[in-house]
Amino acid sequence: MAGVIRAKQLFLCSSILSSNNNKVLLRIPRRSINVIAGNLNSSETKKKEKEKRKRRKEIEVARETAEAVVNKEKRRTRSSREYEIADGDEVPSSHVPVMLGEVLDIFSSVRLRSFVDCTLGAAGHSSSIIQRHSELKHFVGMDVDPVARKLGHFHIDSLMHPTLKASIVLKNFKYIKSVVADTQPELLDVGVDGILMDLGMSSMQVNNPERGFSVLQEGPLDMRMDPQATLTAEDIVNSWPESELGRVLRDYGEESNWYLLQTRIVKARLNGGLHSTGELVDLIRGMSPASRGGRQGWIKTATRVFQGLRIAVNDELKTLQNSLYSSFDVLAPGGRLAVISFHSLEDRVVKQTFLDILGFQREEINGEGSSVKPERQIEERVEKELKEKEAWIKQTVIGSKGVILTKRPITPSEEEERLNRRARSAKLRVIQKL
């Protein structure tokens, strides 16, 4: 304050000096001038320090972001393959099969006499497989969704030829052994040459509000993949114990704000509960602060909540794990199992189950990442032969029962991620039976 007063005095005196044509000599104490200069320098110094701290923080954030990107790239193998889509009339335009070219590459070197598509959907992958492999004699398509099965059946029928025996079954892929035994029992002796699982939600399911999968469309809280199943998301939201509801939101939805969500949902039961996707979304939107990304903030939270409920309704992770074991069992020697997952929980199950199948143990390293400890030394000769034969194979893990051909998962090319947003989170892992 003293500095400000002194500055005003100096300005007044300067005006007087100017008005008298410099005839009056004004004497200002040197100490007052020093105080004014000192205060001005102090203010500038504080401003510079603040700017330096802001700049250091920006540099630190940029460095952490760059490290995160590098670490993410290290944990995967981005596909360098040219983006490939199915031919015009093979699949409906609303459904584009993810990583089609990469899937075709995986089975290109296999003499594919038999093939099982565990998640047939609109038959995007299978249609291309049938067209590329004239040696294919046995095809089995499975889907738990009756609408998807009907559409897939239509497209497979259009590709039938006299030497191809095809069976389209309305079953969950956890029943792969019994389905193969019932439809094409001859395969039980020789095994299946190729099996595919695409774990993503189909556009047909998401775009139908009556299924209850969409965050942005009003519909019942259903979320059943199998319409004949009894458990729905409405049952979990309104009836499950509070601790179990919290576990679903925390472990399956991977939602950091799970406890508050759990409390609000249980509190809503006192007023009749939640019975539609819109009511659940309104509850989430009402507790999401505007500072957390606005509309995108509550949509991301709602997406995680819907993911958790969907996984619980369909018991997806346990079903996936059991199905991977069963699928490997029905593979023929040299046969391959390819799995496309779309979120970290699924990918973790696929990765660990593949290792368990080969008898490997996972060891944590500093709380992140993992390494494998094989029962016997890796056969370098086999690995070298595989890499020389197929360019897409980068790193392998070899055990006594088989070979994991994707030590790190393959992810879509940058072009596919740009043209097909649904593919952005896809990860492809492959195991081959010896």
Side-chain angles (χ1 to χ4, degrees):
M1 181 62 73
V4 174
I5 293 172
R6 293 293 185 187
K8 288 182 178 179
Q9 290 173 345
L10 178 60
F11 176 79
L12 180 60
C13 293
S14 300
S15 300
I16 295 171
L17 181 63
S18 175
S19 64
N20 288 283
N21 298 319
N22 297 327
K23 292 180 180 180
V24 178
L25 182 62
L26 182 65
R27 297 182 65 85
I28 301 174
R30 182 181 297 275
R31 186 171 65 84
S32 298
I33 296 175
N34 290 339
V35 169
I36 294 169
N39 287 334
L40 291 174
N41 289 338
S42 177
S43 177
E44 291 179 359
T45 301
K46 289 180 179 179
K47 186 177 180 180
K48 288 181 179 180
E49 285 297 324
K50 186 177 180 180
E51 290 177 351
K52 286 181 180 179
R53 287 195 299 269
K54 183 179 178 181
R55 180 58 181 162
R56 282 197 296 267
K57 186 174 181 180
E58 290 175 348
I59 293 173
E60 181 66 20
V61 170
R63 185 183 63 79
E64 291 176 355
T65 302
E67 287 180 354
V69 171
V70 170
N71 290 334
K72 184 177 180 181
E73 290 295 329
K74 286 181 179 179
R75 293 194 298 269
R76 68 177 183 174
T77 302
R78 183 181 287 280
S79 174
S80 58
R81 196 187 196 282
E82 182 178 350
Y83 180 40
E84 181 168 341
I85 60 174
D87 294 338
D89 296 329
E90 287 181 24
V91 295
S93 58
S94 60
H95 180 82
V96 180
V98 170
M99 300 185 75
L100 175 60
E102 289 75 11
V103 169
L104 293 175
D105 284 347
I106 285 165
F107 295 108
S108 63
S109 65
V110 179
R111 188 164 182 265
L112 213 59
R113 295 155 297 186
S114 54
F115 185 79
V116 177
D117 189 337
C118 292
T119 48
L120 182 63
H125 291 105
S126 288
S127 295
S128 295
I129 287 286
I130 291 172
Q131 290 183 324
R132 299 291 179 94
H133 292 267
S134 59
E135 74 277 16
L136 190 63
K137 307 298 181 185
H138 303 275
F139 175 83
V140 178
M142 303 174 63
D143 208 298
V144 73
D145 188 322
V147 176
R149 174 189 173 275
K150 183 178 180 180
L151 183 59
H153 205 316
F154 172 78
H155 289 290
I156 297 301
D157 281 348
S158 68
L159 298 171
M160 289 297 295
H161 53 79
T163 60
L164 177 62
K165 178 183 178 182
S167 304
I168 313 298
V169 183
L170 186 64
K171 285 276 189 179
N172 189 294
F173 52 51
K174 65 183 178 182
Y175 300 113
I176 183 171
K177 279 187 176 181
S178 61
V179 166
V180 170
D182 294 340
T183 59
Q184 308 203 26
E186 60 271 30
L187 293 179
L188 289 179
D189 295 330
V190 296
V192 177
D193 296 320
I195 300 175
L196 174 66
M197 293 182 182
D198 178 352
L199 305 178
M201 295 283 296
S202 75
S203 303
M204 295 174 290
Q205 294 167 330
V206 175
N207 294 339
N208 182 358
E210 293 302 313
R211 302 298 298 274
F213 292 116
S214 176
V215 170
L216 300 178
Q217 299 185 75
E218 175 73 25
L221 274 173
D222 193 321
M223 303 192 191
R224 291 173 296 174
M225 293 290 190
D226 179 1
Q228 300 302 315
T230 56
L231 180 65
T232 66
E234 185 178 357
D235 297 328
I236 295 175
V237 166
N238 296 310
S239 304
W240 274 25
E242 187 172 352
S243 59
E244 282 298 293
L245 174 62
R247 181 182 64 83
V248 168
L249 299 174
R250 182 187 67 242
D251 296 346
Y252 295 163
E254 300 180 291
E255 170 55 42
S256 60
N257 208 19
W258 66 270
Y259 187 78
L260 181 57
L261 276 164
Q262 165 197 298
T263 303
R264 294 287 181 88
I265 292 173
V266 171
K267 186 178 180 180
R269 295 175 181 177
L270 301 176
N271 297 317
L274 304 170
H275 305 283
S276 71
T277 55
E279 291 175 353
L280 178 56
V281 167
D282 286 343
L283 181 145
I284 295 168
R285 184 161 42 191
M287 59 169 287
S288 299
S291 59
R292 293 186 62 186
R295 183 174 185 268
Q296 288 301 316
W298 70 257
I299 285 181
K300 289 178 180 178
T301 300
T303 300
R304 289 190 289 267
V305 171
F306 275 50
Q307 171 185 295
L309 291 172
R310 192 198 74 232
I311 290 174
V313 166
N314 300 286
D315 195 18
E316 291 181 14
L317 301 183
K318 188 64 176 177
T319 297
L320 172 60
Q321 184 182 46
N322 293 337
S323 302
L324 292 171
Y325 286 114
S326 298
S327 297
F328 188 82
D329 286 345
V330 300
L331 278 179
R336 292 178 176 179
L337 165 62
V339 185
I340 304 174
S341 62
F342 287 84
H343 59 76
S344 59
L345 296 176
E346 288 176 340
D347 182 60
R348 200 175 302 144
V349 170
V350 177
K351 174 184 177 181
Q352 188 56 48
T353 304
F354 279 3
L355 292 173
D356 290 343
I357 286 173
L358 301 188
F360 288 28
Q361 298 296 320
R362 184 177 65 171
E363 296 179 338
E364 296 297 329
I365 304 177
N366 298 326
E368 58 183 7
S370 62
S371 64
V372 292
K373 187 177 182 180
E375 293 177 339
R376 61 191 179 89
Q377 188 177 6
I378 292 179
E379 299 177 16
E380 295 182 358
R381 178 183 57 81
V382 175
E383 184 177 39
K384 183 179 179 182
E385 289 177 356
L386 286 168
K387 288 181 180 180
E388 289 177 349
K389 187 177 180 182
E390 299 175 76
W392 64 269
I393 299 176
K394 305 301 181 184
Q395 290 180 300
T396 64
V397 180
I398 304 177
S400 57
K401 297 180 180 179
V403 186
I404 297 172
L405 301 178
T406 50
K407 184 176 182 180
R408 292 174 180 156
I410 302 173
T411 59
S413 65
E414 292 183 357
E415 182 184 12
E416 179 167 9
E417 287 188 1
R418 179 172 55 84
L419 296 176
N420 183 8
R421 291 175 60 85
R422 179 174 170 264
R424 288 179 300 171
S425 59
K427 291 181 180 180
L428 173 59
R429 293 185 184 270
V430 188
I431 189 171
Q432 177 175 311
K433 195 171 189 177
L434 292 180

